[in-house]
């Protein structure tokens, strides 16, 4: 039965995408430290400041938290109420993961995309820029707002990886996955 093996392979590719995305986004933390260090040095050594640089740190911070959510989910480092889950069998964990993905994660992400769509498209259509004098110009605020549906899409991709992996666990356990190692 090649089904569970093929499903696991697809799930691994989707999870790999989530992990690579998170690894790329993680580099923004280095950029945040460098920019923030420059801001502090400029402020205290030269009595100079930059609203644009300060806003860029805020925007990078938003990007790290939002765009790395799927990476955190893939790594299993997300918040989970683990009262019963940790003591469950692999099969029961798979059932809980399938139910959670289909009943909670995917509907929430679809709602997040749907409810944020007008917010994001309006920001792009009006060419929104910072409300601060000397703040970041268009398109930076629109890009940050675009992180909302992008985050939801990335979570759906990772949810699909979890769903497929859980289905493979169920099918493999029920059908004796001969092709798996």
């Amino acid at each position: 039965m090649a089904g569970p093996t093929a499903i696991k392979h697809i799930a691994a590719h989707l999870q790999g995408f989530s992990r690579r995305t998170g690894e790329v986004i993680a580099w923004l933390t280095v950029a945040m430290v460098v920019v923030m260090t420059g801001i502090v040095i400029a402020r205290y050594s030269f009595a100079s400041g930059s609203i644009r640089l300060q806003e860029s740190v805020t925007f990078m911070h938003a990007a790290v938290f939002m765009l790395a959510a799927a990476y955190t989910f893939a790594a299993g480092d997300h918040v989970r109420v683990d009262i019963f889950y940790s003591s469950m069998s692999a099969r029961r964990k798979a059932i809980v993961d399938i139910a959670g993905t289909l009943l909670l994660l995917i509907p929430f992400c679809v709602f997040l995309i749907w409810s944020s769509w007008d917010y994001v498209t309006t920001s792009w259509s009006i060419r929104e820029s910072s409300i601060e004098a000397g703040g970041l110009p268009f398109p930076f605020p629109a890009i940050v707002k675009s992180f909302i549906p992008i985050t939801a899409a990335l979570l759906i991709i990772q949810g699909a990886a979890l769903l497929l992996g859980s289905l493979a666990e169920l099918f493999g356990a029920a059908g004796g996955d001969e092709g798996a190692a």
Side-chain angles (χ1 to χ4, degrees):
M1 179 177 181
T5 303
I7 292 172
K8 284 181 184 179
H9 183 70
I10 294 167
H13 279 292
L14 292 174
Q15 187 156 351
F17 175 77
S18 295
R19 288 185 185 271
R20 284 188 302 279
T21 301
E23 290 164 358
V24 169
I25 295 301
W27 282 100
L28 281 178
T29 58
V30 175
M32 283 178 11
V33 169
V34 169
V35 172
M36 197 66 211
T37 301
I39 290 170
V40 170
I41 290 170
R43 179 177 296 148
Y44 293 106
S45 297
F46 306 109
S48 175
S50 170
I51 299 295
R52 284 185 180 189
L53 286 177
Q54 289 175 355
E55 283 188 349
S56 73
V57 171
T58 302
F59 290 174
M60 286 186 277
H61 195 241
V64 167
F65 273 92
M66 294 181 74
L67 300 178
Y71 171 80
T72 303
F73 188 30
D77 292 336
H78 58 291
V79 175
R80 176 186 294 216
V81 180
D82 203 6
I83 298 169
F84 304 109
Y85 188 85
S86 63
S87 62
M88 290 181 176
S89 68
R91 183 171 170 74
R92 286 196 179 186
K93 285 181 181 180
I95 292 169
V96 168
D97 288 340
I98 290 168
T101 301
L102 292 176
L103 299 175
L104 299 172
L105 178 68
I106 291 176
F108 172 74
C109 290
V110 169
F111 173 76
L112 194 58
I113 291 168
W114 174 77
S115 64
S116 68
W117 197 257
D118 285 341
Y119 180 66
V120 174
T121 56
T122 299
S123 182
W124 282 98
S125 68
I126 66 170
R127 300 178 56 84
E128 184 176 10
S129 61
S130 175
I131 60 171
E132 300 292 332
L136 289 171
F138 174 78
F140 291 100
I143 291 171
V144 172
K145 289 179 180 182
S146 297
F147 293 159
I148 298 168
I150 292 169
T151 296
L154 291 171
L155 283 169
I156 288 172
I157 291 168
Q158 180 52 39
L162 177 65
L163 182 65
L164 292 173
S166 297
L167 288 170
E169 176 66 35
L170 282 180
F171 291 145
D177 187 9
E178 292 89 11

